[in-house]
Amino acid sequence: MAIPWWRDAVVYEIYVRSFADASGDGVGDLAGIRQRLPYLRRLGVDALWLTPFYPSPMADGGYDVADYRGVDPLFGSLGDFEALVADAHEHGLRVVVDIVPNHSSAEHPWFKEALRGEHRDRYVFRSSPERPNNWQSTFGGPAWTQVADGQWYLHLFAPDQPDFNWRNPEVHAEFLDVLRFWLDRGVDGFRIDVAMGLYKAEGLPDVEDQSFQSKSPVWGQPEVHEVYRRWRALLDTYPGERMAVGEVWTDDPADLARYVRPDELHQSFNFAWLQAPWSATAFRKVIDDTLATVPYATWVLSNHDVVRHRTRYETADPGTGLARAKAALLTMLALPGSAYLYQGEELGLPEVKDLPPEARQDPVFFQTGGEMPGRDGCRVPLPWTADGASYGFSPDEVLPWLPQPDSFGALSVAAQDGDPHSTLEFYRRSLALRRELVAETPHTIEWLDSTADTLFFARGPMVCVLNCGTEQVPLPPHDRVLLASGHLPEDRLLPPDTAAWLHA
Ligand code: GLC
């Protein structure tokens, strides 16, 4: 069987609001992405994942969808979307779009009808004098809101994001039709938001622990798999290997394997590395568990919901952030499977921690009364030029929707382009070399002897080494160094917080 395109793909996540603004309103848009396709092609990624661009009141940055078959005027038009897909394909880039099936916006016509007392069984409504159970919203506060006539509706996220009732066949039919709508417009796949949501346990029992666990009555109910079997059957009727990747939060790789099956999803995000400390032992366990259980592995270091990995490493051990971020990238790119990058990590962008409260937009900040900073810090618009009001994110003197720190000028694309020591050029070199090497490497790894603080593994003729310790370690003998994440001294020693690729 030919290797499917997504198996080893490097997918670049575009948080649409923050990538590039062509219209000049301070918010990123589809035309902005289209203008930057040559940049993405040159970076060397295979596919783009676009976060939601559908009509939305933006209570959760677009993850509150009011119309699943349109484009919010903030981001452009359906024509802009079609032009973007056509141009991306011309550039050899696939396009994966986000689909949000767990909940809609409170502004969705179905929910407006439900509020008027019609067709409430499309959502999860209950009559009860008190809250129907003790479930909490993932964003903070109770997961139930009462409507005017006294009933309660369930929302696992913001109150503006009512959960659908997947026990109603109408919801199934609607989403199959939504998938068809975008497949007919040429999308290459879907990223499924909260893929372990959708069904809740019958009777909605109270929970003791609300974490994202497969055993919880809130998440990962067995019925959800039937949904993905139907979706897969639909995807398989289209030419060109359309794919689906699920957002499944779990700390057990065996949970991921329940979704990734020949008749279900092609991939699901593997967040295990993202949650692991900087430790060779921890990384080795993540790699072993993943490769042993999930047929098609994925690797993720950052996304629009978590603190950027440069800053995670920096916070744990000041002074190490960028070196570790680059070393982790090189290691991840050497592993079998596909890698998901988050916009701006190729520039080494840090989390922006000091956003003033009045600039913050994330419901997490508001629903926790400011106790949690929320996710705005990883969503600050990208800097394209070294100066200007928005560092080239928006045209003219327009200010972006979230303020950028002064440090963004030196981290901009223009400042790094062509500088062989820059993070951007390191990403370009790594992605180009991976493209060359993947074709000649087997889809397995073999561990090589190394000290407890290091990882050495071979993929056919290629060897990857990572030093998580505090001492320099000798490189394996006889191998030629192809690329390193930091400076390697002449004497074939691998410094701490550094990874390298070698060739026999
Ligand atoms: C997913 C998205 C996140 C969003 C949530 C609710 O976790 O990645 O950004 O807030 O779902 O839709």
Side-chain angles (χ1 to χ4, degrees), residues 60 63 103 139 157 191 193-194 247 304-305 375 379:
D60 182 21
Y63 283 94
H103 46 263
F139 291 164
F157 295 90
R191 177 264 186 190
D193 190 62
V194 197
E247 183 202 24
H304 69 285
D305 289 326
R375 302 160 295 178
R379 300 175 175 179

Side-chain angles (χ1 to χ4, degrees), residues 237-319:
T237 63
Y238 281 79
E241 299 176 289
R242 317 292 174 101
M243 59 84 75
V245 52
E247 183 202 24
V248 179
W249 283 97
T250 172
D251 48 16
D252 178 3
D255 278 346
L256 299 185
R258 279 191 257 282
Y259 294 81
V260 182
R261 300 186 193 204
D263 61 348
E264 289 193 35
L265 304 185
H266 301 74
Q267 297 178 333
S268 67
F269 292 138
N270 173 14
F271 294 127
W273 196 324
L274 178 156
Q275 292 163 318
W278 184 257
S279 137
T281 320
F283 290 164
R284 185 170 174 147
K285 180 166 167 34
V286 166
I287 294 168
D288 278 341
D289 289 354
T290 304
L291 295 180
T293 46
V294 191
Y296 293 107
T298 65
W299 308 101
V300 184
L301 290 168
S302 281
N303 69 27
H304 69 285
D305 289 326
V306 298
V307 172
R308 284 185 176 276
H309 68 280
R310 173 182 181 166
T311 303
R312 287 202 310 271
Y313 294 141
E314 182 67 28
T315 305
D317 222 334

